[in-house]
Amino acid sequence: MAHELDIIPGTEWGFFTLPRPMCIAGPCSAETEEQVMETARGLNDFGIHVYRAGIWKPRTHPGSFEGVGTQGLKWLRRVKQELGMKVCTEVASEKHVLECIKYGVDMIWVGARTSANPFLMQEIADALEGTDIPVLVKNPVNPDLDLWIGALERLNRAGLKKLGVIHRGFSTSASIPYRNDPGWKIAIELRTRYPQMAFFADPSHMAGKRVYLQELSQRAMDLGLDGLMVESHCNPDAAWSDAAQQLTPAALKELLEKLIIRENTSDNEAYREGIDALRARIDVIDENLLKLLRDRMGVSQAIGRYKKEHNVAILQAGRWEQLLADMVSRAEAMGISAQAITAIMTAIHDESVRVQNNVLER
Ligand code: PEP
Ligand code: MN
């Protein structure tokens, strides 16, 4: 089932400016009024106009710093009034939403632990009903695209149309250099389904460490995402939360300057002709691939019949493992990755087993 969302693009919310990336920056947590103001000034000075700061912090262990609470909203209000920036913070409950509305927060976001919880999402959606405040929904901690879409649907049904998403990666037990698994595949899928929806990446929570911020931000831009939410702190090493991943405003400025932004398309005549010719070649190859697959499935069907006549089971695991191993080594010799050929052959093999099963059931 297609889940329709009625969405107003981020460029029409009145505070993001193009060209890409639309940028949201600010500390993981608001800590003191001075830290909030100093960081905001540093960012505002080079053209960041949307400020983030966590006020209520979802921490792993009780007893860690859990945010300054409502007093932080007063500091954000000061950022608005003195610097003219737009401000946003994370909400996880009805109470948070009502406080944000009361203090004139311009935009809110829902964190990864909260978007994974339909009860909380519904509570937040109900509390927001009747407002038109923009809401950004981070991906749930687990790589579940439907859960992410469901969270957006709840907000949309409550009448909120200024909706966007923040991809911050997924919890994983695999040993990877980053704090969270980028799992870009899910982001691309969501982007493809809702191309009009403001799409941010959060390289900070994905990376967990400063050194990876540049490459992850570049990746997000190469995938054509609209913006970045980056954690920035006037004194990162002394931050009360997420110290290892925060950047000074100056370092963020440098990161943004180093980004290479490629356009999603080009109006240039020569480009159009060149790309059309290349795409035509791809179309012919895809057509041939389809015919080959059709022929291959025809042979699978014949094999199915033959096995049935001779009372032989469909799946011979040894044969499949051998076939896959052969394909992997031949593909690698042609410059095709083991991962890619394994995914392709597994899909073909699954379909082939299904075709043979159909023969058996007839
Ligand atoms: C945050 O943005 O500070 C935060 C807690 O992020 P996440 O929900 O992505 O972990
Ligand atoms: Mn953080």
Side-chain angles (χ1 to χ4, degrees):
M1 196 174 66
H3 300 273
E4 298 294 329
L5 295 174
D6 182 8
I7 286 171
I8 300 176
T11 46
E12 292 170 29
W13 299 351
F15 46 86
F16 287 115
T17 46
L18 292 173
R20 293 187 304 142
M22 309 194 300
C23 197
I24 306 165
C28 177
S29 304
E31 298 163 4
T32 64
E33 186 163 5
E34 294 65 41
Q35 169 252 7
V36 165
M37 292 311 297
E38 188 183 336
T39 308
R41 274 186 219 106
L43 294 167
N44 191 49
D45 280 351
F46 72 91
I48 301 288
H49 298 309
V50 187
Y51 190 64
R52 65 149 279 157
I55 301 293
W56 302 284
K57 299 303 297 178
R59 303 304 300 279
T60 302
H61 297 287
S64 351
F65 170 62
E66 291 186 317
V68 294
T70 302
Q71 61 171 328
L73 294 176
K74 296 186 184 151
W75 310 338
L76 288 184
R77 199 168 53 188
R78 197 176 148 205
V79 169
K80 269 182 83 153
Q81 286 168 349
E82 285 184 22
L83 304 174
M85 297 173 88
K86 301 286 182 183
V87 296
C88 63
T89 196
E90 173 176 345
V91 297
S93 70
E94 178 187 17
K95 173 181 168 270
H96 295 166
V97 170
L98 298 179
E99 295 280 83
C100 284
I101 294 171
K102 186 165 137 196
Y103 284 88
V105 168
D106 299 290
M107 176 168 75
I108 56 179
W109 82 85
V110 177
R113 293 156 199 78
T114 308
S115 66
N117 184 329
F119 289 133
L120 288 177
M121 279 314 305
Q122 194 57 52
E123 178 180 321
I124 291 167
D126 291 343
L128 284 166
E129 194 157 359
T131 72
D132 74 341
I133 185 168
V135 185
L136 302 178
V137 181
K138 288 197 170 195
N139 63 267
V141 277
N142 48 323
D144 184 337
L145 179 59
D146 280 317
L147 196 56
W148 198 358
I149 293 174
L152 291 158
E153 279 182 289
R154 287 177 198 278
L155 296 166
N156 207 209
R157 284 184 184 204
L160 294 144
K161 295 188 181 180
K162 294 175 184 164
L163 297 179
V165 289
I166 306 173
H167 180 52
R168 48 77 84 196
F170 305 100
S171 290
T172 177
S173 56
S175 112
I176 56 169
Y178 308 133
R179 177 176 176 186
N180 285 293
D181 178 359
W184 292 110
K185 216 168 98 180
I186 290 188
I188 294 165
E189 178 64 30
L190 187 66
R191 178 67 160 171
T192 310
R193 286 203 213 173
Y194 306 103
Q196 78 281 28
M197 183 162 58
F199 210 125
F200 293 81
D202 172 348
S204 307
H205 290 90
M206 215 176 253
K209 291 201 190 85
R210 277 186 275 284
V211 282
Y212 301 124
L213 291 175
Q214 188 78 45
E215 66 191 50
L216 289 170
S217 303
Q218 185 62 53
R219 193 74 205 278
M221 289 303 103
D222 292 345
L223 291 172
L225 304 191
D226 301 309
L228 298 173
M229 176 188 257
V230 189
E231 286 189 341
S232 176
H233 189 295
C234 55
N235 184 5
D237 289 331
W240 298 1
S241 60
D242 287 351
Q245 70 194 27
Q246 302 203 61
L247 289 177
T248 60
L252 174 59
K253 178 170 186 274
E254 199 181 316
L255 178 151
L256 294 173
E257 282 167 356
K258 275 201 217 147
L259 283 179
I260 299 163
I261 307 295
R262 298 179 182 89
E263 291 309 315
N264 287 332
T265 184
S266 162
D267 293 334
N268 179 292
E269 184 71 22
Y271 166 81
R272 285 241 55 89
E273 279 174 19
I275 198 76
D276 286 349
L278 289 168
R279 286 186 175 148
R281 278 170 61 188
I282 286 276
D283 289 347
V284 171
I285 292 172
D286 285 349
E287 177 70 28
N288 285 330
L289 278 175
L290 264 184
K291 287 183 184 150
L292 283 172
L293 283 172
R294 180 201 57 199
D295 292 351
R296 195 185 191 283
M297 292 309 154
V299 177
S300 291
Q301 220 169 15
I303 291 178
R305 275 191 227 105
Y306 198 66
K307 284 181 182 164
K308 188 178 177 182
E309 276 165 32
H310 292 83
N311 206 24
V312 171
I314 285 177
L315 196 64
Q316 272 93 46
R319 150 95 183 137
W320 160 236
E321 276 156 22
Q322 188 56 51
L323 183 153
L324 182 62
D326 282 355
M327 288 298 278
V328 167
S329 68
R330 281 153 61 190
E332 282 187 316
M334 295 178 184
I336 299 169
S337 78
Q339 194 192 13
I341 196 68
T342 302
I344 293 165
M345 288 312 296
T346 303
I348 291 175
H349 181 250
D350 287 351
E351 178 62 4
S352 174
V353 169
R354 195 187 65 80
V355 164
Q356 292 191 33
N357 260 318
N358 279 350
V359 172
L360 211 60
E361 280 160 15
R362 237 178 265 143

